[in-house]
Every structure is written in C-alpha cells, then in structure tokens.
Amino acid sequence: MASDSFSEPGSVAPSDLIRRLLDDGDAQDLGDIPVDELAAAAADHAAEVEGARLFVILAEHPRAEATTKALVAVAENADVLAMMEIASWLGRGGQVPPTHRQGLGRVFLERAADRSAHYGTRSQALKAAMIMAQSERSLLRRLQADLLDLDP
C-alpha cells in the first residue's frame, strides 16, 4: 500500500478516491492526484459491475482532462461483465466526451481483436466500438478496415 500513500497532509490515495467515486456515485474533486496514479487505481477496479460503474462515473466527470487515462485503463482491464455493462450503457445513449472517443474506440477495437481474451469480452468490446463508431467517422473507417481484414 505504500504506492497509495502521499506525504502531503490532506492528500487522498488514488484507491481511496476510486472507492469514494464508487460509493458516492457522483463527481468528486480529484484533487492533485497524478493522472497516471489515478489510471493505475482505476485499472485495479475495472472488473465486474464495479468496473462498469467506474467507467460511467469517469466518462461523466466534469474534468475530462484528468480522467482520460483512467477511463482508458478501465476499458483496457474490463472483464466480460464490465465490458457487457459498458457496451449496454453506450447502447442506451451513454456519452463519452469527444476528446475521449478516438482513444476509447481504439481500445475497444484492440480488445475485440485480442484472441487471448474471453469471447464475451471480445464481442462486447466490438459492440462498444460499433456504437461509438456511429458518432465518430474516423473510428467507423477503422472499424470497417478491421472487419474487412478478418482472418477466416
């Protein structure tokens, strides 16, 4: 736990901040936590329904510049249940900030193409990428190119 402690008084450990975000379910002040530490803590909480809830909280957080890496970390580490919930949220009209769309779209496509991943995770990542591609033209082109290049 040494990586979660800060020497500055009043600082919040990244894992404690993630826990507060999940417990309170709304935007919290992110303070001065470095984005890389926030992303590492988010990756540790990316599984199951908790991971999907964290994805939504980060996607809707008003400080998009501070949550980009954490949002990508959740998408990169989501298990099949979290990915299913994320894709469902996007399908119900959930929106991610425009600045996040390209990076997240690439992550979803990479997860869909990862043959070592669970087939459910792959299919839900593809669903998420297809949903996001509806509003992001360059992501749509990349998705089309990936689909045309499938191995038999």
Side-chain angles (χ1 to χ4, degrees):
M1 284 207 120
S3 65
D4 282 345
S5 61
F6 290 97
S7 58
E8 301 172 25
S11 293
V12 177
S15 61
D16 292 339
L17 175 62
I18 296 294
R19 180 60 40 212
R20 279 199 338 233
L21 285 169
L22 288 166
D23 290 345
D24 296 343
D26 64 1
Q28 293 277 333
D29 178 19
L30 297 178
D32 58 356
I33 294 176
V35 294
D36 291 332
E37 290 182 28
L38 182 62
D44 290 341
H45 292 85
E48 301 185 1
V49 175
E50 180 180 81
R53 283 188 54 234
L54 182 57
F55 183 91
V56 171
I57 291 166
L58 292 169
E60 294 176 341
H61 198 279
R63 286 191 50 208
E65 80 288 348
T67 61
T68 302
K69 282 189 175 184
L71 197 59
V72 167
V74 172
E76 288 174 336
N77 293 284
D79 64 1
V80 65
L81 182 57
M83 192 62 75
M84 181 175 60
E85 291 294 324
I86 291 167
S88 293
W89 176 76
L90 290 168
R92 290 188 308 269
Q95 294 290 316
V96 296
T99 56
H100 292 32
R101 290 183 189 150
Q102 278 297 320
L104 281 173
R106 280 193 297 276
V107 168
F108 289 136
L109 287 175
E110 289 167 4
R111 295 292 310 271
D114 181 4
R115 291 178 187 252
S116 66
H118 186 278
Y119 70 90
T121 304
R122 294 179 66 201
S123 66
Q124 293 302 313
L126 180 59
K127 177 182 175 183
M130 290 189 307
I131 293 166
M132 290 186 67
Q134 293 174 6
S135 61
E136 193 69 33
R137 191 164 187 78
S138 61
L139 181 57
L140 176 63
R141 296 294 178 237
R142 182 168 176 164
L143 175 61
Q144 289 170 333
D146 284 358
L147 290 174
L148 291 173
D149 192 35
L150 290 177
D151 292 331

